[in-house]
Amino acid sequence: MKSDNEYKALSIKEFTKAAEIYDSGRAGIYEMCKDDYPPILEELKKDDFEDLLDVGCGTGPMVELLASELPGRRYTGLDLTPKMIEVANAKGIEEARFIVGDAEDLPFDDASFDAVICANSFHHYPNPQAFFAGVARVLRPGGKLVLRDYTAPAPILWLMNHTEMPLANLVGHGDVRLHPR
């Protein structure tokens, strides 16, 4: 088993390469992430918010969608990979700021956001409880977390966590663990 920092280094290496193709429509396995954008948008439409944090934002495609569909709000994207943030910032989304940071050590003041989203990056977090503690801290009272990530029935999860994830690490991916619902 790898250390937290080893998993994070793998993620940075993987997503530095992925940043070049992430928005291209030819992003391979990363194209699956886009399937979660419409349900997240629909969930966010249920409640009003002013400040939203996208944890594991990548190149900012979800923030880009939200800014066009739900304008007049403030969006913050956070990602561990500097290259992802560089690409996101180059988009020039007026209501958005993108910063490099760790999902398990959120660099924001208490009660900074009405909503936090996390789409398909949770399985890269070595210490999920630190992520949840950080989200609880940065959410305002009554705030909402929308978390979407890959999952499966227990036998398949076991198989993926004990075979697929270690193999993915060997080829340079920063995947840590898939979780049950």
Side-chain angles (χ1 to χ4, degrees):
M1 184 180 243
K2 297 187 178 321
S3 73
D4 291 2
N5 287 336
E6 288 172 317
Y7 280 120
K8 291 175 185 185
L10 282 173
S11 286
I12 291 169
K13 181 179 175 187
E14 172 186 356
F15 288 103
T16 296
K17 292 177 190 171
E20 300 295 330
I21 60 163
Y22 205 78
D23 292 329
S24 70
R26 303 178 323 276
I29 192 168
Y30 308 113
E31 285 295 315
M32 292 188 310
C33 299
K34 297 173 185 171
D35 295 342
D36 281 335
Y37 299 170
I40 292 170
L41 174 62
E42 291 308 309
E43 186 61 34
L44 291 170
K45 285 180 177 179
K46 293 178 183 178
D47 300 299
D48 196 27
F49 66 89
E50 288 185 31
D51 297 289
L52 178 136
L53 171 62
D54 182 357
V55 180
C57 69
T59 60
M62 189 68 213
V63 168
E64 190 172 23
L65 173 66
L66 290 170
S68 70
E69 294 285 326
L70 302 171
R73 294 163 169 93
R74 290 178 296 273
Y75 298 100
T76 301
L78 176 95
D79 202 278
L80 189 63
T81 304
K83 184 66 175 174
M84 287 288 198
I85 296 302
E86 179 185 319
V87 173
N89 277 320
K91 293 178 177 182
I93 302 168
E94 193 170 309
E95 297 105 343
R97 66 181 175 140
F98 295 97
I99 61 171
V100 175
D102 190 331
E104 296 176 353
D105 186 19
L106 298 175
F108 306 104
D109 292 336
D110 295 355
S112 298
F113 300 97
D114 304 303
V116 175
I117 61 173
C118 180
N120 297 309
S121 64
F122 186 69
H123 62 281
H124 290 277
Y125 304 165
N127 186 354
Q129 200 55 47
F131 164 74
F132 286 124
V135 168
R137 182 182 60 75
V138 302
L139 274 175
R140 293 181 180 128
K144 175 188 274 192
L145 167 64
V146 180
L147 171 63
R148 292 189 58 100
D149 204 36
Y150 308 109
T151 191
I156 295 171
L157 278 180
W158 185 92
L159 188 63
M160 293 176 81
N161 284 329
H162 290 87
T163 58
E164 183 179 336
M165 293 293 178
L167 290 172
N169 293 157
L170 287 175
V171 298
H173 293 273
D175 305 274
V176 178
R177 169 174 275 303
L178 295 176
H179 300 275
R181 288 186 136 199

